[in-house]
Amino acid sequence: MTLQNHPGDLEFPVRARWRWVGRVRRLQRSLGSAEARRSQRRDTVVFVIPALVVAIAGTIGQDAWVPVVLPGADHFAVLFLAVLGAMAVGLVAVLVASLPLMRRPLRDQRRWLGLTALEPLTEEQQSLLALDAASDHDGRCWNASLAHEPTWALLPRDLRERHRDGESGQAFVSLPMAPLRLLRERLDQRWRIVSAEDLHLAVADGFAERSTSVRLLRALQDPHATARLAALTGIDEFALRALAEPSGGRPPALAWGADVQRTVLLVRLAHVAGVVGADEAWALIRQAGQVAAAVHDDWPSYDAAVRIGAALDADSLEQVERVRGAAEAVRRGDWPAARAAFPSRASGAVLPVAVLRGGTAG
């Protein structure tokens, strides 16, 4: 694997920046770790010692420099200048000592990669993850790895046991990870998933009666709902109704793209929470990718389906525009997803019955 963006930041890949200094210091303080205490003591020493040296040297050698710098100055002016110079030197020393903090996110991410020993993504895998890229961009997460954020689930057992999967401290100062227990509780509360079997059922339901596409079919039967959907998405009513019809030998596109995006997101959440391993997660994501390839030709049509899903879910122009903006930012940005090809249809791929039958399973 290669370096990605820093979680919470969009620059790809992560680079040494001055802005990390303050963030890392705040994280150190919030963790209350031994490293934070050492860092505070180090900053104090780095500031005090150069300042004292300059102050003492300036006071002792004032007969040499005062006549040149401040001819005729009184004692208090000399003292003030010596103190000011000492403080300036101390601050410069602290800034110089802070240089390693600029690189801390790079260092922690490299250590993360070394500990997890993840393999580089294939072109196919990056194309599949690009199906969830807009969501990652909006959340400032990772999109060049199956895990959308660092997780205890992928770390070596000894490190996990030492920190009790996040219950006892952190392994990386600049990459804080939520306790695995908390991730699993959230997954259960939001999606009712606590096991691999639950995930498989949720994925299957997402391409059946609980799909966004089924809701779209219902909305298209109501003229007022269709008009509202057209206004929110910027897709005219005729184009929306055409989504319910087969086209060019393909099944009706409906809003299967939104169901695909949600499925990829859900599988990745389960993977980060340690519910499923990488092989099982990729198998489920590939199935979703085959649905996308079966009903869409390219990213614009896929993004439009995701936009329709956002409109049906939130019924909010603000949310639809947010989804649109994230997708546009990904396609024109420098993330690997911007260069990923749209997933291609594999020969012999088996599609869900509802997809083949235009949103009906019967």
Side-chain angles (χ1 to χ4, degrees):
M1 293 292 294
T2 57
L3 291 174
Q4 301 192 61
N5 53 300
H6 183 70
D9 192 77
L10 292 175
E11 183 179 37
F12 189 99
V14 61
R15 295 180 176 88
R17 301 295 188 200
W18 272 111
R19 63 176 180 266
W20 301 137
V21 175
R23 296 186 193 183
V24 171
R25 289 188 189 281
R26 287 192 294 272
L27 285 169
Q28 288 175 330
R29 288 194 296 269
S30 68
L31 292 173
S33 61
E35 180 177 351
R37 292 189 291 273
R38 288 195 301 270
S39 179
Q40 291 174 345
R41 289 195 296 267
R42 184 170 59 248
D43 288 346
T44 301
V45 171
V46 167
F47 176 83
V48 169
I49 290 181
L52 281 176
V53 170
V54 170
I56 293 172
T59 302
I60 293 175
Q62 61 181 302
D63 291 339
W65 64 269
V66 169
V68 177
V69 179
L70 292 173
D74 58 24
H75 175 72
F76 291 104
V78 173
L79 180 61
F80 175 76
L81 186 60
V83 171
L84 192 63
M87 291 180 63
V89 169
L91 288 173
V92 170
V94 170
L95 288 175
V96 172
S98 299
L99 291 177
L101 298 183
M102 293 173 57
R103 299 185 59 81
R104 188 58 185 266
L106 284 80
R107 177 179 141 197
D108 280 350
Q109 199 172 137
R110 286 191 178 114
R111 182 167 172 251
W112 157 267
L113 292 173
L115 288 170
T116 56
L118 296 174
E119 294 292 328
L121 294 179
T122 64
E123 290 184 5
E124 179 223 14
Q125 288 173 332
Q126 184 59 78
S127 291
L128 292 172
L129 292 181
L131 295 166
D132 195 29
S135 174
D136 287 332
H137 193 279
D138 186 53
R140 289 163 165 73
C141 301
W142 287 344
N143 187 251
S145 64
L146 180 58
H148 64 279
E149 62 183 28
T151 171
W152 294 100
L154 300 183
L155 291 173
R157 181 174 298 278
D158 61 337
L159 191 60
R160 293 180 58 179
E161 291 176 350
R162 190 187 319 156
H163 294 281
R164 296 174 50 235
D165 280 345
E167 303 290 345
S168 300
Q170 291 288 338
F172 311 93
V173 171
S174 69
L175 293 176
M177 295 176 286
L180 215 53
R181 170 191 54 80
L182 181 60
L183 293 178
R184 289 173 173 167
E185 288 175 356
R186 290 174 180 170
L187 193 64
D188 179 39
Q189 291 169 2
R190 175 67 179 87
W191 300 98
R192 310 304 298 168
I193 293 174
V194 294
S195 66
E197 291 75 14
D198 291 338
L199 177 62
H200 282 267
L201 286 173
V203 169
D205 287 345
F207 289 108
E209 277 302 309
R210 294 187 181 180
S211 71
T212 305
S213 292
V214 168
R215 286 190 289 142
L216 175 60
L217 280 176
R218 293 171 184 156
L220 293 177
Q221 295 171 5
D222 181 344
H224 297 292
T226 304
R228 170 71 176 170
L229 197 58
L232 289 174
T233 60
I235 303 171
D236 67 56
E237 295 184 37
F238 294 104
L240 286 172
R241 296 185 189 282
L243 294 174
E245 302 297 331
S247 176
R250 295 175 179 270
L254 293 173
W256 293 120
D259 299 313
V260 168
Q261 188 274 327
R262 183 187 59 245
T263 297
V264 178
L265 169 65
L266 189 56
V267 172
R268 296 176 74 202
L269 287 172
H271 177 61
V272 166
V275 173
V276 289
D279 292 342
E280 193 169 0
W282 280 121
L284 289 170
I285 290 175
R286 284 190 179 93
Q287 292 174 14
Q290 287 304 298
V291 174
V295 299
H296 295 294
D297 292 312
D298 50 29
W299 291 116
S301 62
Y302 173 81
D303 291 340
V306 175
R307 198 159 67 247
I308 292 170
L312 289 170
D313 286 340
D315 192 28
S316 162
L317 181 60
E318 179 183 5
Q319 182 59 28
V320 172
E321 289 302 307
R322 181 171 179 170
V323 170
R324 184 203 302 271
E328 291 175 350
V330 167
R331 306 307 169 208
R332 66 170 182 262
D334 56 3
W335 282 21
R339 302 180 296 276
F342 192 75
S344 57
R345 179 81 180 271
S347 59
V350 178
L351 299 177
V353 173
V355 175
L356 292 171
R357 298 185 177 179
T360 61

